[in-house]
Amino acid sequence: MNPTSAPRISASALVLRKISSVLHPPLPLTPRESHTLLRAVQDSFRQSLTSASSADTSASAHLGSLLKMQPFAPTADAARRMREQRIKKYLVDPIAVFEEHVALGTASVELARSCLARYNDLGEGRVGDGGSRVLRGLVEAGAIRSPREFLDEVPLSHPLVMALVREGKGGVLVKWILERDGKDGIARQLVRQVEKQLGLERATQVFFEFYNRMVDTMADTMPQQLGTIGRELCRDARKTGRLPQPLLERLLATAEKWAVNRAEHAMILLRFGDDVKPGLRFFATIDYKPALWWNELPERRQQRYAQMGIELAQKCLAQENLKDAQAVAKMVSKRFREQLGVQSQQHHQQTEDVDGLLPRGEVAEHLDVFREMFKEAIQREEQVAADGLV
């Protein structure tokens, strides 16, 4: 016998035992029958190795052909039952299926994506640690070098992100994202995906994971990165009513940090929180700006301020705050005459002489509503005063 064959035969026997135990349940043999079978396999390998020019190649080929023979290869019925069992297990416990492939050395990114997609489809009633287990398995299998590298695998990133968020791992996920890449838009993309798949409440929680990590170290860039997300969450909360009140209140309370400027902060609290105080402070401040500041104010911003003033006055009236409503309306009419369609008497007369029409600005239609609201409010105030005198 070739003296170099014995170690290879011994190693082949160990490999055979391992593979057969995984692919097929133990054969129902007595110890003597098992020993006989093993001797037959060893003799078969010995003959193959003795007659082959390349022992390594021959061993691999011989093992492959051997596993296709009985009793290793299942019958057609047994193979069908095994497939049905694997499918059933995938539908019920896809993460366990993935871990089996990790143990066999056959795990891949594509398999992880498929198992995670099924795991996520099982719904909130089956929340566990599937995302974390898949992440550990991918590292163990060598598919990725470190957990955060899964973000580079486009087919995998979405289902794994959803799984980790469902499991309450949003904080770790956000940490990886901020450490990996600080580009604008990544936070917004993630929050929008979570809102679409898991709902507004989960999306807001992820938003605050970003906020908590950025509020101290990235305060200067926070408005650019989180401002749009914050406004969209407030808008969706107001539109759907599906955000718990404590989360909405926290959004509004932190708006001063993530809003682009004071005007936007005031508008957010006015529109989504019915709070007129920031808006009143803002308009009181800008009313004292010099004429040069007003002259250089861009047209687009003038339109926004005029619209904000109208909404602010309307909200003050709705809250029966007539004094502040009148003050805001007076300032807006004075500073944004063109935006409101208000013209000087001379210009008005010239326009009437030409075609009898008074051009109206983009938001001038609100003035008609204003006049009626002020008219009714003033009449009520005068009536209250008259009753008091009597």
Side-chain angles (χ1 to χ4, degrees):
M1 184 177 68
N2 190 335
T4 62
S5 300
R8 294 193 183 97
I9 294 174
S10 176
S12 298
L14 293 175
V15 171
L16 182 62
R17 290 193 189 100
K18 181 178 180 180
I19 293 178
S20 63
S21 66
V22 173
L23 297 180
H24 198 282
L27 297 174
L29 303 175
T30 64
R32 182 176 180 179
E33 290 172 332
S34 298
H35 179 71
T36 301
L37 176 61
L38 183 59
R39 289 291 302 173
V41 172
Q42 288 175 336
D43 290 343
S44 175
F45 267 101
R46 185 178 294 108
Q47 293 174 6
S48 176
L49 291 172
T50 302
S51 61
S53 58
S54 175
D56 293 337
T57 303
S58 177
S60 299
H62 192 66
L63 179 60
S65 63
L66 186 67
L67 292 176
K68 295 178 183 178
M69 300 170 57
Q70 292 290 349
F72 302 105
T75 64
D77 290 340
R80 177 180 55 77
R81 288 194 298 270
M82 291 172 64
R83 285 195 299 271
E84 291 175 352
Q85 291 173 355
R86 287 196 297 267
I87 293 173
K88 182 178 180 180
K89 188 169 186 178
Y90 169 80
L91 295 175
V92 175
D93 194 354
I95 305 303
V97 172
F98 177 77
E99 290 178 329
E100 288 179 358
H101 281 270
V102 172
L104 291 170
T106 57
S108 65
V109 169
E110 183 58 30
L111 177 65
R113 185 205 64 78
S114 177
C115 291
L116 283 167
R118 175 57 190 168
Y119 170 73
N120 290 332
D121 287 343
L122 293 175
E124 293 296 316
R126 294 292 302 274
V127 174
D129 59 348
S132 302
R133 289 162 61 187
V134 167
L135 204 52
R136 288 195 297 268
L138 286 169
V139 175
E140 182 180 342
I144 56 176
R145 290 177 299 178
S146 65
R148 73 188 65 187
E149 282 192 7
F150 86 88
L151 294 166
D152 297 323
E153 301 290 343
V154 176
L156 176 66
S157 60
H158 177 75
L160 187 47
V161 162
M162 295 303 111
L164 292 174
V165 171
R166 288 175 62 205
E167 296 166 15
K169 305 294 189 349
V172 176
L173 183 62
V174 167
K175 177 177 179 292
W176 290 341
I177 290 175
L178 292 178
E179 289 177 350
R180 167 183 173 270
D181 198 339
K183 294 180 180 178
D184 294 347
I186 292 181
R188 181 170 182 253
Q189 181 181 4
L190 173 59
V191 173
R192 300 307 294 176
Q193 285 181 350
V194 172
E195 181 177 357
K196 182 179 180 181
Q197 298 292 325
L198 304 179
L200 183 59
E201 183 174 353
R202 284 284 179 82
T204 305
Q205 291 170 350
V206 173
F207 169 84
F208 279 118
E209 294 290 355
F210 279 106
Y211 176 87
N212 292 337
R213 291 186 176 275
M214 296 172 66
V215 66
D216 295 325
T217 60
M218 305 177 68
D220 294 338
T221 61
M222 183 183 292
Q224 288 75 29
Q225 297 198 22
L226 297 186
T228 301
I229 311 173
R231 291 193 300 273
E232 291 174 343
L233 291 174
C234 288
R235 178 201 63 199
D236 294 346
R238 186 67 173 264
K239 182 179 180 180
T240 65
R242 295 178 181 175
L243 186 64
Q245 189 63 25
L247 277 179
L248 177 58
E249 291 176 355
R250 188 183 177 194
L251 265 179
L252 298 175
T254 57
E256 188 174 7
K257 295 287 188 179
W258 49 260
V260 175
N261 50 41
R262 290 183 60 193
E264 183 180 81
H265 173 237
M267 192 64 172
I268 289 169
L269 267 64
L270 172 66
R271 185 168 289 178
F272 305 115
D274 296 331
D275 187 354
V276 300
K277 293 179 181 178
L280 292 173
R281 289 194 296 266
F282 173 74
F283 274 100
T285 299
I286 66 173
D287 193 29
Y288 286 97
K289 294 287 186 179
L292 181 62
W293 186 87
W294 289 100
N295 292 336
E296 294 180 350
L297 196 64
E299 175 66 22
R300 184 176 179 85
R301 185 164 296 182
Q302 292 184 27
Q303 290 284 352
R304 291 178 178 175
Y305 287 176
Q307 179 68 40
M308 179 179 172
I310 290 173
E311 293 188 30
L312 181 59
Q314 287 177 327
K315 189 68 66 176
C316 287
L317 284 175
Q319 297 176 3
E320 298 185 354
N321 185 356
L322 179 60
K323 180 179 178 181
D324 287 332
Q326 287 178 313
V328 172
K330 180 179 178 181
M331 194 277 281
V332 172
S333 300
K334 177 180 66 174
R335 299 295 188 179
F336 306 110
R337 300 180 66 84
E338 293 183 3
Q339 286 71 32
L340 297 175
V342 180
Q343 299 178 331
S344 65
Q345 184 64 32
Q346 180 181 1
H347 189 190
H348 186 159
Q349 186 63 44
Q350 292 174 350
T351 305
E352 287 183 336
D353 292 342
V354 174
D355 56 10
L357 297 175
L358 177 63
R360 299 172 66 83
E362 182 178 337
V363 293
E365 291 79 7
H366 291 277
L367 289 180
D368 296 331
V369 180
F370 260 18
R371 294 188 185 98
E372 292 300 321
M373 295 174 69
F374 280 123
K375 181 179 178 181
E376 295 177 2
I378 291 172
Q379 288 176 349
R380 289 198 303 270
E381 188 177 70
E382 290 176 347
Q383 185 61 46
V384 171
D387 292 343
L389 291 176
V390 174

